[in-house]
Amino acid sequence: MEQEEEKVSNAFIPSSLSSSDLEQVLHSLPSNALNHLFSLGVCVRCVLRLFGIKGPICASVDNGSENPLDSTTSNEAKLCNICLGILQFRFYDEREKRVLQKDTAYDVALLIADMVKQERYQFDTFSLEVSIPPLILQNETSVWSYMQKKYGSEPWFQEKLHTGCISIKDALKFSLINPLENLLGCKSSLCPFRIRLTYTHTKASEGVAKCSENDGSCKRRKTGMSLLFPSNSFSTPSESNLIGERPLSSSVEIESFDSSKLFLKSASEPCHFSYNCSRTPFYFGGRYLKYSRNVSQTRWIIDDERMGEASVEEIIGTKVLQACRGDNYKFHAAGREDIDVRMLGPGRPFILEVQNTRLVPTEQFVNNIEKMINEVENKLVRVKNLKLVGSDGWNLMREGEAEKQKQYAALVWTSRPLKDEDFQQVSSLKDLKVVQRTPIRVLHRRSPLEREKIIHWMKMETVAGSSQYFLLHLCTQAGTYIKEFVHGDLGRTHPSIGSILGCTAEILQLDVTDIKMECFLT
């Protein structure tokens, strides 16, 4: 159900451990490597994750000290040379257009949760995604390679190399997931509703280029993640599922560094931070009927002038979009009819893709949308059998497009009066093969090809009071140009109704009366 704005009590805020607990953990780590990392400008949280430490202890870290074990260090922590402020909760907020410093992960989660609630999405679970600039990965690779060269022979390093460290993405997620779950009132998992955190940096594109210019030892190549971390250093699939993201890829493109040197790109400014939420598209399938000869299937604009009074795409799409409170929509149909051709019978199959909906449509909700479309006063378009569909709906519609048969009713005029023999001759033709060159009217947008199509059957019906007008009912293979089959298109379609009857034939009106496809019939 829709998340309501509510106050969250302090009981939901993870209790921080005491500074003595943090000091105890740090004292358990090798002091020479620990002090070395601090001297390289690595923040406390990065130090903890490099040693594979996670959990409540990370929440007790004070952002105000560079080295908690050294009382002589400045109380104003500098920007971390690895995470560039991400795990220090320091960033340039793209919404507020200024640098912010948050004390805890809860404060960052509160910022994100407020944004989610303002968007008024309906959701009962969420997935958290994080994107960081490549510059951070480059710095992390450099530090790890340097530490491996310096301490790789020591027993503690072999142990940590085996257990592995925690990536910046996972460390950030471990910090944010619990407060976000409490603030939003639901759990995190793989799901269509996504909260995305994007960190970028102005120097992100400079690091790789300058490294290759200044030192020949920097070579770009594809390599396993093991150059940076051991193969088991990232979250297991089960852990990744808990935080709502697929397991990390086993292969990425990174910089290979000479480990005897330290290539560390420092920055004076924190990362730019943007955050948003979105939902994967919903797909509505059904059939539409078009009763007007002045409505195109899709929006049709020529030289800034609209062709026709409306379009099927807009009539259906705008109603569904407004009801779902989405951002945009895309209309997909099984073929198309010309603007002056009506679509009757059971209708034409279509799928409407609605992007980033705030509401989650239910079966009753979809039924109400169908009713709303069909109750429009002008009655230009009607919808049947509207429902939510998945990939099976797409497959069913696409498979039927190539194999479908279509039935038409055409009002035809001939240059001579018709006889009973003419009616019998046309009705006797079954599975007639017709060769059609690309019609003159569409040559400007279609390749000049020759196509063979089949007219499965035809039936002529007299029009009362006239011997030169008749209704032609016919069933054809998909892709047949019906207008050209009637008048011949200056000989480009053969045979045609005109050539069969031995006279001039012109089509005056055309309706699609049936599309033989199995999808969305009920």
Side-chain angles (χ1 to χ4, degrees):
M1 59 183 168
E2 185 168 333
Q3 306 302 303
E4 297 180 356
E5 189 77 28
E6 59 181 19
K7 292 185 178 180
V8 180
S9 69
N10 291 333
F12 288 124
I13 304 176
S15 59
S16 298
L17 303 183
S18 66
S19 58
S20 61
D21 293 321
L22 173 62
E23 291 178 7
Q24 184 177 355
V25 171
L26 293 177
H27 277 302
S28 68
L29 302 177
S31 59
N32 55 344
L34 190 65
N35 292 324
H36 199 164
L37 285 171
F38 283 135
S39 70
L40 293 175
V42 180
C43 71
V44 181
R45 289 190 180 93
C46 276
V47 168
L48 293 175
R49 68 178 183 81
L50 286 173
F51 282 97
I53 298 172
K54 61 182 178 181
I57 190 65
C58 296
S60 68
V61 175
D62 182 3
N63 284 329
S65 177
E66 296 178 37
N67 183 352
L69 302 181
D70 187 355
S71 59
T72 63
T73 57
S74 169
N75 286 328
E76 184 178 350
K78 295 179 181 178
L79 201 64
C80 175
N81 279 331
I82 296 183
C83 71
L84 302 184
I86 292 178
L87 296 182
Q88 296 170 298
F89 309 134
R90 187 185 310 173
F91 48 83
Y92 180 89
D93 192 320
E94 291 288 0
R95 291 173 179 258
E96 298 193 21
K97 302 300 181 184
R98 63 190 180 96
V99 175
L100 297 180
Q101 172 67 68
K102 297 297 181 180
D103 293 330
T104 66
Y106 178 84
D107 296 327
V108 180
L110 189 61
L111 199 68
I112 298 166
D114 286 344
M115 175 273 299
V116 173
K117 292 176 182 179
Q118 288 173 11
E119 292 289 338
R120 297 175 58 205
Y121 281 89
Q122 281 183 336
F123 60 95
D124 53 16
T125 184
F126 68 92
S127 171
L128 184 63
E129 299 177 347
V130 177
S131 174
I132 62 175
L135 176 61
I136 290 178
L137 181 59
Q138 177 185 331
N139 279 354
E140 194 159 48
T141 303
S142 181
V143 169
W144 188 264
S145 299
Y146 180 71
M147 297 296 286
Q148 185 176 29
K149 176 68 175 179
K150 192 170 184 64
Y151 302 105
S153 60
E154 298 189 18
W156 65 263
F157 191 91
Q158 296 295 329
E159 179 186 350
K160 293 304 174 184
L161 185 64
H162 176 70
T163 58
C165 70
I166 303 168
S167 71
I168 290 180
K169 287 185 180 182
D170 285 351
L172 184 64
K173 288 177 181 177
F174 289 140
S175 299
L176 294 177
I177 286 295
N178 285 338
L180 276 176
E181 287 179 341
N182 290 322
L183 288 165
L184 298 176
C186 62
K187 293 295 183 180
S188 167
S189 68
L190 284 173
C191 68
F193 180 66
R194 300 168 179 172
I195 300 173
R196 183 167 182 82
L197 315 181
T198 303
Y199 292 88
T200 58
H201 203 279
T202 54
K203 291 188 177 181
S205 59
E206 299 175 10
V208 172
K210 289 188 177 181
C211 180
S212 59
E213 290 172 5
N214 297 338
D215 196 300
S217 62
C218 295
K219 298 177 182 178
R220 193 166 188 82
R221 65 186 176 111
K222 277 195 174 182
T223 182
M225 186 66 83
S226 57
L227 281 182
L228 177 57
F229 301 112
S231 59
N232 62 343
S233 63
F234 294 103
S235 338
T236 63
S238 60
E239 288 174 328
S240 296
N241 290 339
L242 287 175
I243 59 178
E245 184 174 296
R246 297 183 182 90
L248 295 170
S249 171
S250 60
S251 176
V252 295
E253 189 172 358
I254 63 175
E255 292 296 316
S256 175
F257 293 93
D258 180 352
S259 59
S260 64
K261 301 179 181 179
L262 179 59
F263 298 100
L264 200 59
K265 186 69 177 178
S266 61
S268 59
E269 299 177 353
C271 292
H272 285 228
F273 179 45
S274 61
Y275 44 100
N276 59 71
C277 49
S278 63
R279 175 177 277 117
T280 55
F282 279 107
Y283 297 93
F284 297 81
R287 292 195 172 219
Y288 75 82
L289 295 93
K290 179 167 77 79
Y291 301 120
S292 171
R293 299 191 188 277
N294 194 33
V295 171
S296 57
Q297 186 189 80
T298 56
R299 190 167 180 261
W300 188 12
I301 304 293
I302 298 179
D303 296 331
D304 296 327
E305 183 178 351
R306 171 185 282 277
M307 300 291 105
E309 58 182 305
S311 71
V312 176
E313 172 188 52
E314 292 169 299
I315 292 173
I316 299 175
T318 54
K319 292 292 184 183
V320 178
L321 186 71
Q322 291 171 3
C324 295
R325 295 190 1 234
D327 285 350
N328 204 351
Y329 65 85
K330 294 181 181 179
F331 186 82
H332 314 268
R336 65 172 57 239
E337 68 281 336
D338 291 341
I339 188 172
D340 59 347
V341 177
R342 295 188 300 178
M343 180 66 240
L344 306 178
R348 184 183 296 278
F350 74 91
I351 289 178
L352 185 74
E353 174 187 345
V354 185
Q355 301 169 350
N356 198 20
T357 66
R358 270 62 176 177
L359 303 183
V360 178
T362 62
E363 183 177 350
Q364 184 59 49
F365 183 86
V366 176
N367 292 337
N368 292 339
I369 293 178
E370 178 177 323
K371 184 178 179 181
M372 180 175 58
I373 295 171
N374 293 339
E375 288 179 349
V376 174
E377 291 183 4
N378 54 24
K379 305 294 184 183
L380 301 176
V381 172
R382 183 168 176 263
V383 171
K384 294 174 61 176
N385 309 326
L386 192 66
K387 63 186 69 177
L388 287 171
V389 299
S391 58
D392 54 335
W394 276 103
N395 296 335
L396 196 60
M397 193 172 81
R398 293 307 179 204
E399 288 171 5
E401 276 187 321
E403 303 171 2
K404 69 178 181 284
Q405 295 181 7
K406 300 167 71 174
Q407 292 182 14
Y408 299 88
L411 177 62
V412 181
W413 171 88
T414 56
S415 59
R416 65 167 178 83
L418 298 173
K419 303 175 182 179
D420 290 343
E421 293 82 357
D422 297 322
F423 286 78
Q424 294 172 4
Q425 179 187 9
V426 171
S427 298
S428 66
L429 297 173
K430 305 296 181 184
D431 292 328
L432 175 67
K433 291 185 179 180
V434 176
V435 177
Q436 294 190 307
R437 294 165 64 189
T438 303
I440 294 173
R441 65 186 172 94
V442 298
L443 264 177
H444 64 286
R445 55 186 171 88
R446 297 283 176 85
S447 301
L449 302 175
E450 191 173 272
R451 303 169 179 85
E452 185 178 279
K453 298 295 180 179
I454 296 176
I455 310 298
H456 296 289
W457 55 261
M458 291 182 286
K459 182 176 70 172
M460 293 174 63
E461 179 184 342
T462 59
V463 174
S466 175
S467 60
Q468 290 181 259
Y469 292 87
F470 68 93
L471 284 175
L472 175 65
H473 300 274
L474 67 166
C475 177
T476 74
Q477 180 184 352
T480 304
Y481 292 104
I482 304 303
K483 294 177 179 177
E484 284 68 25
F485 172 66
V486 171
H487 57 65
D489 198 26
L490 302 178
R492 298 172 67 86
T493 292
H494 186 81
S496 64
I497 291 296
S499 66
I500 293 171
L501 297 176
C503 64
T504 301
E506 294 293 343
I507 187 168
L508 304 180
Q509 289 183 345
L510 179 64
D511 294 331
V512 183
T513 56
D514 196 5
I515 296 178
K516 299 293 185 180
M517 292 177 64
E518 296 300 321
C519 58
F520 314 141
L521 285 172
T522 58

